[in-house]
Amino acid sequence: MLFGVPMPFFPSGRRPLSQGSRAGLGAALVLLALVSAVELADGGMVNYVGLVAAAPFLAAAFASWRMVLAVGVLATVVAGAFALTGQVVSLAAVVNVIGIGLATAIAAGVAAIRQRQAEQIAELSKLAAVAQQAVLRPIGPQVGSLAVAGRYISATATADIGGDIYEALDTPYGVRMIIGDVRGKGLDAVRLASIVLGSYRHVAYERSDLRAIVADLDRAVARSVGDEDFVTAALVEERGGTLTIVNCGHPPPLLLRRGEVIPMEPPAPAPPLGFMPVVRPRVERLEPGDRLLLFTDGLGEARRDGEFFPTADRAWRLLGHGTVGDGLASLETALVEWVHGRLDDDIALVLMEYAGPRPVSTTAVPSWELGAADN
């Protein structure tokens, strides 16, 4: 019966070696084996044993300091064995053995520093993920009467957060969405993005007019940035099947309707938030099945060999199928394939679908009141 019980390969509390650690350990052991083979083939003279000093450094590139120390001890033992069994115990052989010991200590120190830095980077990555969830909360799959999905595509593999923002809220004035792009990058962009989203999440429930929301956000941006900083943004409201869009220097959303792609250009241009924009709303009556794509300018700037990604030409084929989440996944796949995995800017995407007017709800009469209702 004992043989039928699966036993762990590693003792309790021990983690299996990572791929990098196995590679470093393997390279170090191969080097030890090669040097040993050359020394044995060379005869009784100790000529090449000093080369094993490179073994702990090979391990230090990937493995932990404990593993490096073990490799260094093994290398020192191998070098000492060749030095003692040689025809003559020369001063050079003794110096080589001592040098291998020193190399082991240095390599272990290097590995310890590298391991500490790797742990710090991993911790920062976790903090960045938490910050992203705090700034860009997941939206959808249903917000009010709309099916909504959001997606953030980072241009930097090591960072999942930047200055692109989006949000969708079910407010007393209908479903309201915002998409925006903060000028600049880094922590300052993230800070301003959090300010804009924090303000929007408050005023979207308080202001009945999108133009009042724009004025509030403009003041919030003006108080928080310098003269050359700004935020482009598009605000969308769906109320009873009526779509209202105000645009502050942002790429116009795309309306997907019956196989056509219609850019929702504003009636008049307006500057970004921070430059006191005066916006004019664009109003559109929605039809069941309409989809609206909101995006930041990273999508419009994505290109390969000087050719921009044909968003408008491919939008319906990529976004008009399945759920809104499926549509954004298809768009991201096609985009990454187009640019060969190299984006110049982060991209925020929001796709919403209007299913039609909400059914009129009726209040059910309790069964014990049916008789009273008939009377």
Side-chain angles (χ1 to χ4, degrees), residues 128-216:
V130 173
Q132 183 187 34
Q133 293 177 1
V135 175
L136 291 180
R137 301 180 304 197
I139 60 175
Q142 194 76 22
V143 181
S145 61
L146 303 179
V148 182
R151 211 170 187 90
Y152 193 97
I153 307 174
S154 177
T156 307
T158 56
D160 294 329
I161 188 170
D164 292 18
I165 59 174
Y166 59 77
E167 181 61 286
L169 303 170
D170 187 11
T171 74
Y173 309 103
V175 177
R176 286 177 164 176
M177 294 175 285
I178 185 174
I179 187 118
D181 190 357
V182 176
R183 179 184 179 273
K185 298 181 181 296
L187 293 178
D188 289 338
V190 175
R191 179 183 62 83
L192 183 53
S194 65
I195 291 173
V196 174
L197 280 177
S199 300
Y200 176 75
R201 287 165 181 160
H202 173 70
V203 299
Y205 291 94
E206 304 296 329
R207 303 287 189 246
S208 61
D209 193 324
L210 289 181
R211 289 170 293 188
I213 296 177
V214 168
D216 289 337

Side-chain angles (χ1 to χ4, degrees), residues 306-319:
E307 186 178 359
F308 291 95
F309 180 74
T311 303
D313 295 338
R314 303 180 64 178
W316 177 261
R317 184 160 57 90
L318 293 172
L319 301 170

Side-chain angles (χ1 to χ4, degrees), residues 114-325:
R114 178 192 54 76
Q115 187 175 359
R116 189 180 304 113
Q117 291 176 340
E119 292 172 353
Q120 291 175 347
I121 292 173
E123 186 66 24
L124 289 175
S125 298
K126 292 180 181 178
L127 291 175
V130 173
Q132 183 187 34
Q133 293 177 1
V135 175
L136 291 180
R137 301 180 304 197
I139 60 175
Q142 194 76 22
V143 181
S145 61
L146 303 179
V148 182
R151 211 170 187 90
Y152 193 97
I153 307 174
S154 177
T156 307
T158 56
D160 294 329
I161 188 170
D164 292 18
I165 59 174
Y166 59 77
E167 181 61 286
L169 303 170
D170 187 11
T171 74
Y173 309 103
V175 177
R176 286 177 164 176
M177 294 175 285
I178 185 174
I179 187 118
D181 190 357
V182 176
R183 179 184 179 273
K185 298 181 181 296
L187 293 178
D188 289 338
V190 175
R191 179 183 62 83
L192 183 53
S194 65
I195 291 173
V196 174
L197 280 177
S199 300
Y200 176 75
R201 287 165 181 160
H202 173 70
V203 299
Y205 291 94
E206 304 296 329
R207 303 287 189 246
S208 61
D209 193 324
L210 289 181
R211 289 170 293 188
I213 296 177
V214 168
D216 289 337
L217 296 181
D218 178 68
R219 286 191 291 270
V221 171
R223 286 194 298 263
S224 305
V225 299
D227 294 336
E228 298 182 357
D229 295 322
F230 57 85
V231 180
T232 67
L235 282 72
V236 177
E237 175 187 280
E238 184 279 324
R239 188 190 311 189
T242 298
L243 184 71
T244 305
I245 304 173
V246 294
N247 197 313
C248 304
H250 197 78
L254 300 178
L255 178 64
L256 286 69
R257 171 179 292 169
R258 298 194 301 269
E260 296 184 4
V261 179
I262 308 168
M264 294 285 98
E265 298 282 356
L273 299 174
F275 293 150
M276 296 183 292
V278 178
V279 295
R280 290 179 57 189
R282 172 163 182 168
V283 181
E284 187 84 17
R285 188 66 186 174
L286 291 173
E287 299 178 4
D290 282 353
R291 291 189 172 187
L292 186 73
L293 174 67
L294 293 81
F295 57 93
T296 53
D297 60 4
L299 179 61
E301 296 172 357
R303 60 186 179 272
R304 68 177 182 195
D305 301 328
E307 186 178 359
F308 291 95
F309 180 74
T311 303
D313 295 338
R314 303 180 64 178
W316 177 261
R317 184 160 57 90
L318 293 172
L319 301 170
H321 68 90
T323 65
V324 288

Side-chain angles (χ1 to χ4, degrees), residues 11-94:
S12 177
R14 298 288 183 88
R15 295 182 179 179
L17 294 178
S18 66
Q19 185 176 359
S21 296
R22 290 196 299 269
L25 180 60
L29 294 179
V30 168
L31 177 63
L32 288 175
L34 289 176
V35 173
S36 299
V38 171
E39 283 289 0
L40 291 174
D42 191 48
M45 298 302 294
V46 181
N47 296 319
Y48 307 102
V49 74
L51 294 175
V52 300
F57 286 104
L58 285 175
F62 303 102
S64 67
W65 68 269
R66 292 182 177 87
M67 189 66 65
V68 173
L69 196 60
V71 170
V73 170
L74 178 60
T76 305
V77 170
V78 170
F82 278 111
L84 293 177
T85 57
Q87 294 179 355
V88 179
V89 180
S90 64
L91 177 61
V94 175

